[in-house]
Each structure stands twice: as C-alpha cells, then as structure tokens.
Amino acid sequence: MTTSQMRDTGGARPIGRPREFDEDRTLADLMTVFWRRGYGGSSLSDLMEATGLMKGSLYGAFGDKREMYLRALARYVDGNVAELAAQLSGTPPAEGLRMLLDAPIRGRRSGDLKGCFLCNAALDRAHEDADAAAIVRRGFASIGCMLVDLLGRLDPLRDEDRIRREADLLLAAYSGLRVFERTLMPEVEMERMRDAALHAVGAPQAED
C-alpha cells in the first residue's frame, strides 16, 4: 500500500485500520518488508506504509519492531518453509533436490534478489539475537529434514549416516547459493555449483 492509498478521499491520513484487521495478512506484509530490507533497513515508516497501520496499532497488535521481526520470521519458517516441505514430499526425489538448489538460480535469473528470508536472517540478525537464532536453527532443521527425506527416497539402500552427511552438504550448498544470489554471481557459476552438489550425492543430472 502506498502513502497515497493510505489517504481517504479528503486527503487526510487515516488513524489506522480498525482493530479487527486481518492480523495474518498484516504479518505477511511485515514479513515482506523485513525479507527485502532486513531488520536494520526496515524503518517504522516502512512498516506503517506496508501495512496501512499507524504506530500505535502496530505496537498494540505485534509489539515493538523486534517482536514484529521475530513473528515475521517465525511465520516464514512455519508457513513458507512448511509449504515447501509439503510440495517436495510429493515430488520425485531427484527433481525435488534440483528444485531446491535451483531456487537461488531462478531468483538470480529473474532479478528478484530478495533471497531466502531464513538465510538472510542468519546473516542479518541471528548472531546478535538469541531468539532470532533459535528460529533460524529451526528453519534450517526443517530444510535438513526435507533433504533427508529426498535423499532417502532417492536411494533407499543408503545408510542413515551417509544420508545425514549428504543432507548437510546440500544444506550448505543451498545456503551458499542463496548468498551468491544476492551478490549477483553469474548464473553459470551458480549452475556449476548446483551441479557439483547434486553430483556429489549421486542425483541424476537434468538438462537445463
């Protein structure tokens, strides 16, 4: 929502949405701001404009800026990451592994460089906020479980230790590619890293 959209027909800025506003939708708006701008880069005015709420309404519903950030990050982990897990659980394993590692390359290709909110938070906030770090660890653990499932289905004869090691390798590859996505690394280099990671775990290669 833009500043102009927040004004009524008389040109006056509204006090805020009624208290019965959709909190989940508003939290999604907050998440989008923090995802794109990071914690330090998100000002109160950014959050107010994105949600259409004034300071008092935001604080009353979500707490201060730190609480807003933590709730937005938890929403990402419990929503976006969980949805990805559900999607990949019904996908052929080799396809699912490639889909996950392709995500940063697709972002780089499209110019949508916001990256992964979870990976962004690991660099942006987790090192100085124990609560943010706990949510980040939970998110990475969820992705790790996805990878264990995909690798186990890729080759049911693999032993558990090998699957765990390979899942750790792919999680590191995914996180690294998400960082490279935001640094505008050339696509061809990211594709080479993706292919090397998939080859390392014995995932069949697909034609681009």
PDB file of all heavy atoms in Angstrom, residues 24 27-28 31 35 70-88 116-118 135 138-139 142-143 146:
ATOM      1  N   ASP A  24      -3.090 -11.926  10.288  1.00  0.00           N
ATOM      2  CA  ASP A  24      -2.196 -12.776   9.497  1.00  0.00           C
ATOM      3  C   ASP A  24      -1.771 -12.060   8.223  1.00  0.00           C
ATOM      4  O   ASP A  24      -0.601 -12.134   7.826  1.00  0.00           O
ATOM      5  CB  ASP A  24      -2.882 -14.103   9.165  1.00  0.00           C
ATOM      6  CG  ASP A  24      -1.924 -15.054   8.466  1.00  0.00           C
ATOM      7  OD1 ASP A  24      -0.954 -15.500   9.112  1.00  0.00           O
ATOM      8  OD2 ASP A  24      -2.141 -15.351   7.273  1.00  0.00           O
ATOM      9  N   LEU A  27       0.723  -9.475   9.193  1.00  0.00           N
ATOM     10  CA  LEU A  27       2.006 -10.101   9.488  1.00  0.00           C
ATOM     11  C   LEU A  27       2.728 -10.479   8.196  1.00  0.00           C
ATOM     12  O   LEU A  27       3.958 -10.359   8.108  1.00  0.00           O
ATOM     13  CB  LEU A  27       1.794 -11.333  10.364  1.00  0.00           C
ATOM     14  CG  LEU A  27       3.041 -12.016  10.926  1.00  0.00           C
ATOM     15  CD1 LEU A  27       3.891 -11.042  11.734  1.00  0.00           C
ATOM     16  CD2 LEU A  27       2.648 -13.213  11.784  1.00  0.00           C
ATOM     17  N   ALA A  28       1.978 -10.913   7.190  1.00  0.00           N
ATOM     18  CA  ALA A  28       2.579 -11.219   5.888  1.00  0.00           C
ATOM     19  C   ALA A  28       3.176  -9.949   5.274  1.00  0.00           C
ATOM     20  O   ALA A  28       4.259  -9.995   4.660  1.00  0.00           O
ATOM     21  CB  ALA A  28       1.544 -11.822   4.951  1.00  0.00           C
ATOM     22  N   MET A  31       6.367  -9.277   7.077  1.00  0.00           N
ATOM     23  CA  MET A  31       7.371 -10.237   6.641  1.00  0.00           C
ATOM     24  C   MET A  31       8.007  -9.793   5.325  1.00  0.00           C
ATOM     25  O   MET A  31       9.226  -9.881   5.152  1.00  0.00           O
ATOM     26  CB  MET A  31       6.737 -11.621   6.484  1.00  0.00           C
ATOM     27  CG  MET A  31       7.718 -12.705   6.076  1.00  0.00           C
ATOM     28  SD  MET A  31       6.905 -14.320   5.858  1.00  0.00           S
ATOM     29  CE  MET A  31       6.067 -14.056   4.280  1.00  0.00           C
ATOM     30  N   TRP A  35      11.903  -9.137   4.930  1.00  0.00           N
ATOM     31  CA  TRP A  35      12.536 -10.053   3.980  1.00  0.00           C
ATOM     32  C   TRP A  35      13.368  -9.282   2.974  1.00  0.00           C
ATOM     33  O   TRP A  35      14.517  -9.629   2.687  1.00  0.00           O
ATOM     34  CB  TRP A  35      11.430 -10.848   3.287  1.00  0.00           C
ATOM     35  CG  TRP A  35      11.839 -11.975   2.395  1.00  0.00           C
ATOM     36  CD1 TRP A  35      13.094 -12.257   1.921  1.00  0.00           C
ATOM     37  CD2 TRP A  35      10.982 -12.981   1.855  1.00  0.00           C
ATOM     38  NE1 TRP A  35      13.066 -13.370   1.116  1.00  0.00           N
ATOM     39  CE2 TRP A  35      11.777 -13.834   1.063  1.00  0.00           C
ATOM     40  CE3 TRP A  35       9.613 -13.237   1.954  1.00  0.00           C
ATOM     41  CZ2 TRP A  35      11.242 -14.926   0.373  1.00  0.00           C
ATOM     42  CZ3 TRP A  35       9.086 -14.324   1.275  1.00  0.00           C
ATOM     43  CH2 TRP A  35       9.895 -15.153   0.501  1.00  0.00           C
ATOM     44  N   LEU A  70      10.585 -10.951  14.830  1.00  0.00           N
ATOM     45  CA  LEU A  70      10.577 -12.346  15.266  1.00  0.00           C
ATOM     46  C   LEU A  70       9.307 -13.066  14.816  1.00  0.00           C
ATOM     47  O   LEU A  70       9.359 -14.220  14.373  1.00  0.00           O
ATOM     48  CB  LEU A  70      10.724 -12.424  16.784  1.00  0.00           C
ATOM     49  CG  LEU A  70      12.071 -11.978  17.356  1.00  0.00           C
ATOM     50  CD1 LEU A  70      12.017 -11.977  18.884  1.00  0.00           C
ATOM     51  CD2 LEU A  70      13.213 -12.869  16.864  1.00  0.00           C
ATOM     52  N   ARG A  71       8.177 -12.388  14.915  1.00  0.00           N
ATOM     53  CA  ARG A  71       6.931 -13.015  14.488  1.00  0.00           C
ATOM     54  C   ARG A  71       6.901 -13.208  12.979  1.00  0.00           C
ATOM     55  O   ARG A  71       6.390 -14.221  12.478  1.00  0.00           O
ATOM     56  CB  ARG A  71       5.736 -12.178  14.958  1.00  0.00           C
ATOM     57  CG  ARG A  71       5.514 -12.241  16.465  1.00  0.00           C
ATOM     58  CD  ARG A  71       4.267 -11.497  16.896  1.00  0.00           C
ATOM     59  NE  ARG A  71       3.053 -12.078  16.324  1.00  0.00           N
ATOM     60  CZ  ARG A  71       1.829 -11.646  16.612  1.00  0.00           C
ATOM     61  NH1 ARG A  71       1.673 -10.643  17.488  1.00  0.00           N
ATOM     62  NH2 ARG A  71       0.772 -12.189  16.060  1.00  0.00           N
ATOM     63  N   ALA A  72       7.456 -12.249  12.242  1.00  0.00           N
ATOM     64  CA  ALA A  72       7.510 -12.380  10.784  1.00  0.00           C
ATOM     65  C   ALA A  72       8.427 -13.533  10.379  1.00  0.00           C
ATOM     66  O   ALA A  72       8.103 -14.314   9.477  1.00  0.00           O
ATOM     67  CB  ALA A  72       7.990 -11.077  10.157  1.00  0.00           C
ATOM     68  N   LEU A  73       9.562 -13.651  11.053  1.00  0.00           N
ATOM     69  CA  LEU A  73      10.499 -14.732  10.746  1.00  0.00           C
ATOM     70  C   LEU A  73       9.884 -16.090  11.090  1.00  0.00           C
ATOM     71  O   LEU A  73      10.011 -17.055  10.318  1.00  0.00           O
ATOM     72  CB  LEU A  73      11.801 -14.517  11.521  1.00  0.00           C
ATOM     73  CG  LEU A  73      12.916 -15.533  11.306  1.00  0.00           C
ATOM     74  CD1 LEU A  73      13.305 -15.633   9.834  1.00  0.00           C
ATOM     75  CD2 LEU A  73      14.135 -15.156  12.157  1.00  0.00           C
ATOM     76  N   ALA A  74       9.216 -16.174  12.221  1.00  0.00           N
ATOM     77  CA  ALA A  74       8.547 -17.429  12.592  1.00  0.00           C
ATOM     78  C   ALA A  74       7.448 -17.771  11.599  1.00  0.00           C
ATOM     79  O   ALA A  74       7.244 -18.954  11.268  1.00  0.00           O
ATOM     80  CB  ALA A  74       7.968 -17.308  14.005  1.00  0.00           C
ATOM     81  N   ARG A  75       6.746 -16.773  11.101  1.00  0.00           N
ATOM     82  CA  ARG A  75       5.715 -17.027  10.100  1.00  0.00           C
ATOM     83  C   ARG A  75       6.336 -17.613   8.837  1.00  0.00           C
ATOM     84  O   ARG A  75       5.765 -18.509   8.214  1.00  0.00           O
ATOM     85  CB  ARG A  75       4.965 -15.738   9.765  1.00  0.00           C
ATOM     86  CG  ARG A  75       3.768 -15.955   8.832  1.00  0.00           C
ATOM     87  CD  ARG A  75       3.176 -14.627   8.370  1.00  0.00           C
ATOM     88  NE  ARG A  75       1.898 -14.812   7.696  1.00  0.00           N
ATOM     89  CZ  ARG A  75       1.743 -15.188   6.436  1.00  0.00           C
ATOM     90  NH1 ARG A  75       2.828 -15.456   5.700  1.00  0.00           N
ATOM     91  NH2 ARG A  75       0.537 -15.319   5.894  1.00  0.00           N
ATOM     92  N   TYR A  76       7.490 -17.098   8.451  1.00  0.00           N
ATOM     93  CA  TYR A  76       8.171 -17.624   7.267  1.00  0.00           C
ATOM     94  C   TYR A  76       8.535 -19.093   7.465  1.00  0.00           C
ATOM     95  O   TYR A  76       8.311 -19.932   6.583  1.00  0.00           O
ATOM     96  CB  TYR A  76       9.422 -16.800   6.988  1.00  0.00           C
ATOM     97  CG  TYR A  76      10.179 -17.235   5.754  1.00  0.00           C
ATOM     98  CD1 TYR A  76       9.819 -16.762   4.499  1.00  0.00           C
ATOM     99  CD2 TYR A  76      11.240 -18.125   5.849  1.00  0.00           C
ATOM    100  CE1 TYR A  76      10.499 -17.165   3.358  1.00  0.00           C
ATOM    101  CE2 TYR A  76      11.926 -18.537   4.714  1.00  0.00           C
ATOM    102  CZ  TYR A  76      11.562 -18.042   3.477  1.00  0.00           C
ATOM    103  OH  TYR A  76      12.237 -18.470   2.354  1.00  0.00           O
ATOM    104  N   VAL A  77       9.100 -19.408   8.624  1.00  0.00           N
ATOM    105  CA  VAL A  77       9.518 -20.788   8.895  1.00  0.00           C
ATOM    106  C   VAL A  77       8.307 -21.712   8.974  1.00  0.00           C
ATOM    107  O   VAL A  77       8.301 -22.821   8.402  1.00  0.00           O
ATOM    108  CB  VAL A  77      10.339 -20.851  10.196  1.00  0.00           C
ATOM    109  CG1 VAL A  77      10.546 -22.295  10.642  1.00  0.00           C
ATOM    110  CG2 VAL A  77      11.681 -20.154  10.004  1.00  0.00           C
ATOM    111  N   ASP A  78       7.265 -21.280   9.666  1.00  0.00           N
ATOM    112  CA  ASP A  78       6.092 -22.136   9.872  1.00  0.00           C
ATOM    113  C   ASP A  78       5.167 -22.157   8.657  1.00  0.00           C
ATOM    114  O   ASP A  78       4.347 -23.063   8.529  1.00  0.00           O
ATOM    115  CB  ASP A  78       5.305 -21.671  11.101  1.00  0.00           C
ATOM    116  CG  ASP A  78       6.119 -21.802  12.380  1.00  0.00           C
ATOM    117  OD1 ASP A  78       7.005 -22.677  12.433  1.00  0.00           O
ATOM    118  OD2 ASP A  78       5.873 -21.022  13.322  1.00  0.00           O
ATOM    119  N   GLY A  79       5.309 -21.153   7.781  1.00  0.00           N
ATOM    120  CA  GLY A  79       4.464 -21.079   6.600  1.00  0.00           C
ATOM    121  C   GLY A  79       5.206 -21.452   5.333  1.00  0.00           C
ATOM    122  O   GLY A  79       5.021 -22.532   4.775  1.00  0.00           O
ATOM    123  N   ASN A  80       6.111 -20.581   4.890  1.00  0.00           N
ATOM    124  CA  ASN A  80       6.799 -20.793   3.614  1.00  0.00           C
ATOM    125  C   ASN A  80       7.638 -22.063   3.603  1.00  0.00           C
ATOM    126  O   ASN A  80       7.609 -22.833   2.636  1.00  0.00           O
ATOM    127  CB  ASN A  80       7.675 -19.578   3.289  1.00  0.00           C
ATOM    128  CG  ASN A  80       6.873 -18.320   3.059  1.00  0.00           C
ATOM    129  OD1 ASN A  80       6.025 -17.967   3.871  1.00  0.00           O
ATOM    130  ND2 ASN A  80       7.134 -17.618   1.971  1.00  0.00           N
ATOM    131  N   VAL A  81       8.412 -22.275   4.650  1.00  0.00           N
ATOM    132  CA  VAL A  81       9.268 -23.461   4.689  1.00  0.00           C
ATOM    133  C   VAL A  81       8.420 -24.724   4.797  1.00  0.00           C
ATOM    134  O   VAL A  81       8.693 -25.739   4.138  1.00  0.00           O
ATOM    135  CB  VAL A  81      10.278 -23.374   5.852  1.00  0.00           C
ATOM    136  CG1 VAL A  81      11.076 -24.663   5.974  1.00  0.00           C
ATOM    137  CG2 VAL A  81      11.228 -22.194   5.640  1.00  0.00           C
ATOM    138  N   ALA A  82       7.360 -24.669   5.592  1.00  0.00           N
ATOM    139  CA  ALA A  82       6.480 -25.832   5.722  1.00  0.00           C
ATOM    140  C   ALA A  82       5.772 -26.140   4.407  1.00  0.00           C
ATOM    141  O   ALA A  82       5.597 -27.314   4.037  1.00  0.00           O
ATOM    142  CB  ALA A  82       5.455 -25.589   6.827  1.00  0.00           C
ATOM    143  N   GLU A  83       5.365 -25.106   3.676  1.00  0.00           N
ATOM    144  CA  GLU A  83       4.723 -25.313   2.376  1.00  0.00           C
ATOM    145  C   GLU A  83       5.697 -25.952   1.393  1.00  0.00           C
ATOM    146  O   GLU A  83       5.318 -26.832   0.593  1.00  0.00           O
ATOM    147  CB  GLU A  83       4.217 -23.983   1.828  1.00  0.00           C
ATOM    148  CG  GLU A  83       2.997 -23.439   2.554  1.00  0.00           C
ATOM    149  CD  GLU A  83       2.641 -22.036   2.101  1.00  0.00           C
ATOM    150  OE1 GLU A  83       3.223 -21.577   1.082  1.00  0.00           O
ATOM    151  OE2 GLU A  83       1.793 -21.400   2.745  1.00  0.00           O
ATOM    152  N   LEU A  84       6.959 -25.520   1.429  1.00  0.00           N
ATOM    153  CA  LEU A  84       7.967 -26.115   0.548  1.00  0.00           C
ATOM    154  C   LEU A  84       8.153 -27.594   0.886  1.00  0.00           C
ATOM    155  O   LEU A  84       8.250 -28.437  -0.012  1.00  0.00           O
ATOM    156  CB  LEU A  84       9.287 -25.367   0.695  1.00  0.00           C
ATOM    157  CG  LEU A  84      10.471 -25.922  -0.099  1.00  0.00           C
ATOM    158  CD1 LEU A  84      10.176 -25.883  -1.599  1.00  0.00           C
ATOM    159  CD2 LEU A  84      11.750 -25.144   0.221  1.00  0.00           C
ATOM    160  N   ALA A  85       8.188 -27.905   2.166  1.00  0.00           N
ATOM    161  CA  ALA A  85       8.349 -29.302   2.582  1.00  0.00           C
ATOM    162  C   ALA A  85       7.198 -30.153   2.063  1.00  0.00           C
ATOM    163  O   ALA A  85       7.406 -31.275   1.576  1.00  0.00           O
ATOM    164  CB  ALA A  85       8.435 -29.389   4.098  1.00  0.00           C
ATOM    165  N   ALA A  86       5.980 -29.634   2.145  1.00  0.00           N
ATOM    166  CA  ALA A  86       4.826 -30.372   1.659  1.00  0.00           C
ATOM    167  C   ALA A  86       4.898 -30.575   0.154  1.00  0.00           C
ATOM    168  O   ALA A  86       4.570 -31.652  -0.367  1.00  0.00           O
ATOM    169  CB  ALA A  86       3.540 -29.641   2.038  1.00  0.00           C
ATOM    170  N   GLN A  87       5.349 -29.543  -0.543  1.00  0.00           N
ATOM    171  CA  GLN A  87       5.473 -29.645  -2.004  1.00  0.00           C
ATOM    172  C   GLN A  87       6.506 -30.690  -2.394  1.00  0.00           C
ATOM    173  O   GLN A  87       6.265 -31.542  -3.258  1.00  0.00           O
ATOM    174  CB  GLN A  87       5.855 -28.286  -2.591  1.00  0.00           C
ATOM    175  CG  GLN A  87       6.040 -28.292  -4.098  1.00  0.00           C
ATOM    176  CD  GLN A  87       6.517 -26.953  -4.636  1.00  0.00           C
ATOM    177  OE1 GLN A  87       6.823 -26.027  -3.865  1.00  0.00           O
ATOM    178  NE2 GLN A  87       6.584 -26.818  -5.940  1.00  0.00           N
ATOM    179  N   LEU A  88       7.666 -30.665  -1.739  1.00  0.00           N
ATOM    180  CA  LEU A  88       8.741 -31.577  -2.102  1.00  0.00           C
ATOM    181  C   LEU A  88       8.445 -33.010  -1.681  1.00  0.00           C
ATOM    182  O   LEU A  88       8.979 -33.955  -2.272  1.00  0.00           O
ATOM    183  CB  LEU A  88      10.062 -31.112  -1.485  1.00  0.00           C
ATOM    184  CG  LEU A  88      10.614 -29.782  -1.998  1.00  0.00           C
ATOM    185  CD1 LEU A  88      11.975 -29.491  -1.379  1.00  0.00           C
ATOM    186  CD2 LEU A  88      10.718 -29.772  -3.520  1.00  0.00           C
ATOM    187  N   CYS A 116      16.325 -15.817   0.334  1.00  0.00           N
ATOM    188  CA  CYS A 116      15.553 -16.619   1.280  1.00  0.00           C
ATOM    189  C   CYS A 116      15.563 -15.879   2.617  1.00  0.00           C
ATOM    190  O   CYS A 116      16.633 -15.553   3.143  1.00  0.00           O
ATOM    191  CB  CYS A 116      16.209 -18.001   1.409  1.00  0.00           C
ATOM    192  SG  CYS A 116      15.689 -18.974   2.830  1.00  0.00           S
ATOM    193  N   PHE A 117      14.398 -15.588   3.153  1.00  0.00           N
ATOM    194  CA  PHE A 117      14.318 -14.832   4.405  1.00  0.00           C
ATOM    195  C   PHE A 117      15.085 -15.544   5.517  1.00  0.00           C
ATOM    196  O   PHE A 117      15.760 -14.915   6.339  1.00  0.00           O
ATOM    197  CB  PHE A 117      12.852 -14.630   4.780  1.00  0.00           C
ATOM    198  CG  PHE A 117      12.606 -13.702   5.939  1.00  0.00           C
ATOM    199  CD1 PHE A 117      13.578 -12.808   6.387  1.00  0.00           C
ATOM    200  CD2 PHE A 117      11.377 -13.701   6.578  1.00  0.00           C
ATOM    201  CE1 PHE A 117      13.336 -11.947   7.454  1.00  0.00           C
ATOM    202  CE2 PHE A 117      11.124 -12.852   7.644  1.00  0.00           C
ATOM    203  CZ  PHE A 117      12.105 -11.974   8.082  1.00  0.00           C
ATOM    204  N   LEU A 118      15.013 -16.866   5.537  1.00  0.00           N
ATOM    205  CA  LEU A 118      15.719 -17.639   6.550  1.00  0.00           C
ATOM    206  C   LEU A 118      17.229 -17.426   6.451  1.00  0.00           C
ATOM    207  O   LEU A 118      17.905 -17.148   7.451  1.00  0.00           O
ATOM    208  CB  LEU A 118      15.371 -19.115   6.391  1.00  0.00           C
ATOM    209  CG  LEU A 118      16.082 -20.105   7.309  1.00  0.00           C
ATOM    210  CD1 LEU A 118      15.708 -19.859   8.759  1.00  0.00           C
ATOM    211  CD2 LEU A 118      15.728 -21.539   6.903  1.00  0.00           C
ATOM    212  N   ILE A 135      14.953 -19.395  15.946  1.00  0.00           N
ATOM    213  CA  ILE A 135      14.019 -19.568  14.833  1.00  0.00           C
ATOM    214  C   ILE A 135      14.776 -19.978  13.570  1.00  0.00           C
ATOM    215  O   ILE A 135      14.327 -20.850  12.817  1.00  0.00           O
ATOM    216  CB  ILE A 135      13.215 -18.276  14.591  1.00  0.00           C
ATOM    217  CG1 ILE A 135      12.381 -17.923  15.823  1.00  0.00           C
ATOM    218  CG2 ILE A 135      12.308 -18.426  13.365  1.00  0.00           C
ATOM    219  CD1 ILE A 135      11.738 -16.550  15.761  1.00  0.00           C
ATOM    220  N   ARG A 138      15.693 -23.564  13.728  1.00  0.00           N
ATOM    221  CA  ARG A 138      14.506 -24.389  13.486  1.00  0.00           C
ATOM    222  C   ARG A 138      14.198 -24.467  11.997  1.00  0.00           C
ATOM    223  O   ARG A 138      13.832 -25.524  11.472  1.00  0.00           O
ATOM    224  CB  ARG A 138      13.318 -23.808  14.269  1.00  0.00           C
ATOM    225  CG  ARG A 138      12.005 -24.533  14.055  1.00  0.00           C
ATOM    226  CD  ARG A 138      11.046 -24.284  15.209  1.00  0.00           C
ATOM    227  NE  ARG A 138      10.775 -22.874  15.443  1.00  0.00           N
ATOM    228  CZ  ARG A 138       9.813 -22.186  14.835  1.00  0.00           C
ATOM    229  NH1 ARG A 138       9.055 -22.775  13.933  1.00  0.00           N
ATOM    230  NH2 ARG A 138       9.597 -20.920  15.131  1.00  0.00           N
ATOM    231  N   GLY A 139      14.361 -23.347  11.314  1.00  0.00           N
ATOM    232  CA  GLY A 139      14.112 -23.336   9.879  1.00  0.00           C
ATOM    233  C   GLY A 139      15.096 -24.200   9.115  1.00  0.00           C
ATOM    234  O   GLY A 139      14.708 -24.980   8.227  1.00  0.00           O
ATOM    235  N   SER A 142      14.330 -27.794   9.520  1.00  0.00           N
ATOM    236  CA  SER A 142      13.224 -28.232   8.672  1.00  0.00           C
ATOM    237  C   SER A 142      13.704 -28.528   7.258  1.00  0.00           C
ATOM    238  O   SER A 142      13.303 -29.532   6.644  1.00  0.00           O
ATOM    239  CB  SER A 142      12.130 -27.157   8.634  1.00  0.00           C
ATOM    240  OG  SER A 142      11.547 -26.975   9.911  1.00  0.00           O
ATOM    241  N   ILE A 143      14.569 -27.659   6.733  1.00  0.00           N
ATOM    242  CA  ILE A 143      15.111 -27.912   5.392  1.00  0.00           C
ATOM    243  C   ILE A 143      15.971 -29.167   5.416  1.00  0.00           C
ATOM    244  O   ILE A 143      15.945 -29.980   4.482  1.00  0.00           O
ATOM    245  CB  ILE A 143      15.910 -26.698   4.886  1.00  0.00           C
ATOM    246  CG1 ILE A 143      14.992 -25.484   4.732  1.00  0.00           C
ATOM    247  CG2 ILE A 143      16.576 -27.020   3.543  1.00  0.00           C
ATOM    248  CD1 ILE A 143      15.707 -24.215   4.315  1.00  0.00           C
ATOM    249  N   MET A 146      13.789 -32.109   5.081  1.00  0.00           N
ATOM    250  CA  MET A 146      13.364 -32.271   3.683  1.00  0.00           C
ATOM    251  C   MET A 146      14.426 -33.009   2.891  1.00  0.00           C
ATOM    252  O   MET A 146      14.134 -33.933   2.120  1.00  0.00           O
ATOM    253  CB  MET A 146      13.174 -30.903   2.999  1.00  0.00           C
ATOM    254  CG  MET A 146      12.062 -30.031   3.443  1.00  0.00           C
ATOM    255  SD  MET A 146      12.078 -28.528   2.412  1.00  0.00           S
ATOM    256  CE  MET A 146      11.707 -27.298   3.639  1.00  0.00           C
TER     257      MET A 146
END
